[in-house]
Amino acid sequence: MKILITGCAGFIGYHLTKKLLQKKTFKIIGIDNLNDYYDTKLKYARLKELKKFKNFIFFKVSLEEKKKIQKIFSKFKINFVINLAAQAGVRYSQKNPDQYLNSNIVGFYNLLETMKKYNVKKLLFASSSSVYGKVKSKIFSENLITDKQISLYATSKKINEVFMNFYGNIYNISNIGMRFFTVYGPYGRPDMAYFKFTKLIQEKKKIYLNNFGNHSRDFTYIDDCVECIVKLIDLVNKKKMNTIVNIAGGRKISIKHMLKLIEKNLNIKAKISLKPLQFGDVKNTFSNPKKLKKMINYKPKTSLEFGIKKFCNWYIKFYKI
Ligand SMILES: NC(=O)c1ccc[n+]([C@@H]2O[C@H](COP(=O)([O-])OP(=O)(O)OC[C@H]3O[C@@H](n4cnc5c(N)ncnc54)[C@H](O)[C@@H]3O)[C@@H](O)[C@H]2O)c1
């Protein structure tokens, strides 16, 4: 099977691509524009790992470049698309709105139109827990009405879901939108709290804890996330789907607890300063795991203790500390 993975040099894209390449039954066509939203060294390092596989081919291209995307579809007989490329980040969307419009909305639209043109009928795409925004419920279930996003990033993901519902219905594209909940792990994203905290602790700099440290998150370890995606590929292949699902780790964890684990693994005490709630921040995220369990009979395996340990070990090795 030939799978096109967008954002393959990104955090989730890299881990998923590697997992599928190891299976050897897949040929992966990876695309990424390698933008400098965060340290590109990390993106090139991930790509270097992927290029070791013979069944991998890479193109540096943006989703906005419709003609180039079409050329890739015309060259390879792609059976399946996994869209992970996006401009991520909540606070960044306040200052750089254009990038969210271009990458996440125009880019996604280009991809869908190209799939339509080349008759590709299977898709998984990345959405986000941020879509839940200001919903009143403490547990986020997929059937809740999500009409109160609080950042342009979240809005762009909601628009993706709405687009997909239309393309799925009208053009018969079997698809699932994956609402990821705070995915973390080795080769992770430097703009995310666990990564920033590790760097700041290591450099003995002050950490500002937003919302006075009272945030909590449903952390998802990268291997668990990848396991879900692999199972969802199978599902979309076997059955006509047009739905959304939460992908989460299954435990509500306070940011303070996560910070303690990083301190323990680095054996350094953090310097902490408390700050009020920041723009776009959802205070707590906790997924209702029922739908995911029903769809793929999945139970998260990795504890935060183990996951943070793996991340810290990777961090120390990668940055040669
Ligand atoms: N990591 C998480 O916790 C999390 C949570 C919710 C949703 N998501 C979503 O999951 C997906 C993957 O996230 P990630 O953590 O791997 O992020 P990432 O930023 O590490 O990966 C995204 C990759 O896409 C590439 N890219 C961005 N815009 C592009 C464009 N227009 N054309 C081509 N390539 C482009 C980037 O260079 C990057 O390598 C994203 O859509 C993100 O919004 C992630």
Side-chain angles (χ1 to χ4, degrees), residues 84-211:
L84 299 171
Q87 179 56 55
V90 168
R91 271 180 285 282
Y92 191 72
S93 68
Q94 203 180 9
K95 290 202 175 121
N96 304 279
D98 288 5
Q99 251 150 284
Y100 293 77
L101 258 293
N102 296 333
S103 285
N104 302 7
I105 301 175
V106 176
F108 190 54
Y109 160 79
N110 285 344
L111 195 64
L112 294 176
E113 276 298 311
T114 310
M115 287 179 69
K116 188 177 116 191
K117 184 173 162 108
Y118 290 91
N119 210 23
V120 181
K121 296 286 185 195
K122 285 158 190 168
L123 172 81
L124 288 175
F125 70 99
S127 184
S128 163
S129 62
S130 64
V131 162
Y132 288 103
K134 269 193 168 168
V135 290
K136 286 273 183 286
S137 176
K138 287 203 167 103
I139 301 181
F140 295 166
S141 304
E142 294 85 344
N143 58 4
L144 287 167
I145 293 171
T146 49
D147 58 358
K148 287 190 174 61
Q149 285 74 43
I150 53 173
S151 67
L152 192 67
Y153 167 67
T155 306
S156 72
K157 291 293 181 184
K158 178 69 189 178
I159 291 171
N160 286 175
E161 293 181 359
V162 176
F163 269 26
M164 202 52 243
N165 190 31
F166 166 72
Y167 278 84
N169 273 326
I170 303 301
Y171 299 112
N172 270 322
I173 298 177
S174 178
N175 77 91
I176 298 173
M178 304 174 288
R179 287 183 180 161
F180 295 127
F181 283 63
T182 320
V183 188
Y184 74 102
Y187 281 97
R189 254 177 49 205
D191 62 325
M192 291 180 72
Y194 70 94
F195 200 120
K196 281 193 200 161
F197 291 173
T198 305
K199 187 169 190 290
L200 290 167
I201 295 176
Q202 186 62 47
E203 291 171 354
K204 304 203 168 58
K205 289 184 181 156
K206 201 184 266 180
I207 290 174
Y208 292 97
L209 276 187
N210 298 337
N211 191 25

Side-chain angles (χ1 to χ4, degrees), residues 65-94:
E65 299 174 289
K66 200 174 181 181
K67 285 258 149 64
K68 287 191 186 167
I69 300 285
Q70 287 178 348
K71 221 170 154 188
I72 294 170
F73 274 77
S74 76
K75 190 163 173 200
F76 301 94
K77 196 148 177 36
I78 291 161
N79 315 100
F80 203 113
V81 176
I82 304 177
N83 184 47
L84 299 171
Q87 179 56 55
V90 168
R91 271 180 285 282
Y92 191 72
S93 68
Q94 203 180 9

Side-chain angles (χ1 to χ4, degrees), residues 275-291:
K275 281 190 112 185
L277 193 68
Q278 300 292 299
F279 170 85
D281 271 355
V282 177
K283 287 184 196 165
N284 303 303
T285 65
F286 185 45
S287 166
N288 181 344
K290 275 189 193 149
K291 186 168 177 182

Side-chain angles (χ1 to χ4, degrees), residues 32-48:
D32 199 300
N33 66 5
L34 302 172
N35 68 42
D36 62 359
Y37 167 61
Y38 60 75
D39 188 6
T40 53
K41 248 187 10 214
L42 200 48
K43 295 185 181 180
Y44 282 102
R46 295 174 185 139
L47 210 49
K48 195 174 160 200

Side-chain angles (χ1 to χ4, degrees), residues 54-70:
K54 284 202 178 89
N55 44 341
F56 177 68
I57 181 158
F58 176 72
F59 295 95
K60 184 176 181 300
V61 59
S62 278
L63 289 180
E64 295 90 307
E65 299 174 289
K66 200 174 181 181
K67 285 258 149 64
K68 287 191 186 167
I69 300 285
Q70 287 178 348

